[in-house]
Amino acid sequence: MASNQQTRPGIGDLAKDTSRGRIGVVMGEVGGRVQIRPIGGGREWDALPRNVKPPSAREELSARLAIRNGNSRGGL
């Protein structure tokens, strides 16, 4: 029997916070919240575990491209 339940991304995995519509890297869990950092670096934010899902392939590509484009504009 197949399970329809999605597994939540683990530490180091890309994740989407569905309440904010943001994608980042899971850094850990503290106090029942998941800490997520933007994939380009920056300040972490807390998300409720029920709102943390794996991003779709399109969302992941879009997020990675945005970071890459931002780096190229900054001369990196």
Side-chain angles (χ1 to χ4, degrees):
M1 179 162 77
S3 172
N4 290 333
Q5 184 177 8
Q6 289 183 338
T7 58
R8 193 170 69 232
I11 293 174
D13 292 338
L14 282 181
K16 179 178 182 180
D17 177 355
T18 59
S19 69
R20 295 179 186 223
R22 295 178 67 190
I23 295 176
V25 178
V26 175
M27 302 306 292
E29 270 190 64
V30 174
R33 306 259 177 166
V34 179
Q35 282 77 47
I36 303 174
R37 177 173 287 158
I39 59 175
R43 189 172 180 182
E44 293 177 8
W45 74 91
D46 291 341
L48 293 173
R50 70 174 178 260
N51 295 331
V52 178
K53 309 283 187 237
S56 70
R58 180 181 290 255
E59 289 168 331
E60 181 177 343
L61 179 60
S62 179
R64 290 186 186 278
L65 266 168
I67 297 304
R68 190 122 203 202
N69 287 337
N71 288 344
S72 68
R73 285 188 201 106
L76 298 176

